[in-house]
Amino acid sequence: MDRHTRRIGEVVRIRAATVADAAAILELWNLAILETLITFNSVAKTLEDVTQMIATVKAVLVAEENGDVLGYASLDQFRTGAGYTHTAEHAIMLAPKARGKGFGRALMQALETEARVLEFHSMIAGVSASNPMGEPFHKAVGFKTVGVIPEAGRKFDQWHDLILMQKTL
């Protein structure tokens, strides 16, 4: 088992995403885009978008159970430019049936391992204040709230605040 693969119990594992996972990731991502306030984006992604993300983002991991992808997480440099080389931003999305079962925590642990390998010093989370699970989840895994941007995003005809959270590695 390499650093990308982590087993939880007998049937769940965290591993590096491949192009073969693109359709499953697309389904999770578009569910979040079209039906939730986890992201402020309201434009569905394409298979090409996901394939490009897997190819270009520094780390994309999936959580799978019995061969089914039930979550994914990505990690890349926060903002462009040399001054941000050691700061990462992540995204994490879970299938509704995977929430509250340890998939998110396992993905975050694996992302932190990747962040350290990639020599990131800190991780940033941009959390929708309208996502009731986002901030408590990040606090539970060691992130601290460092700021709030009021009315940073608009979705479903409403303004939503963005909570910025950080964890120093």
Side-chain angles (χ1 to χ4, degrees), residues 57-58 75-89 120:
V57 168
K58 293 197 183 287
L75 179 79
D76 210 358
Q77 182 174 320
F78 173 75
R79 304 185 115 191
T80 58
Y84 295 102
T85 300
H86 298 287
T87 304
E89 183 173 16
F120 285 116

Side-chain angles (χ1 to χ4, degrees), residues 50-68:
V50 176
T51 302
Q52 177 150 354
M53 176 190 68
I54 292 169
T56 61
V57 168
K58 293 197 183 287
V60 181
L61 306 175
V62 294
E64 67 174 12
E65 181 177 52
N66 298 322
D68 293 328

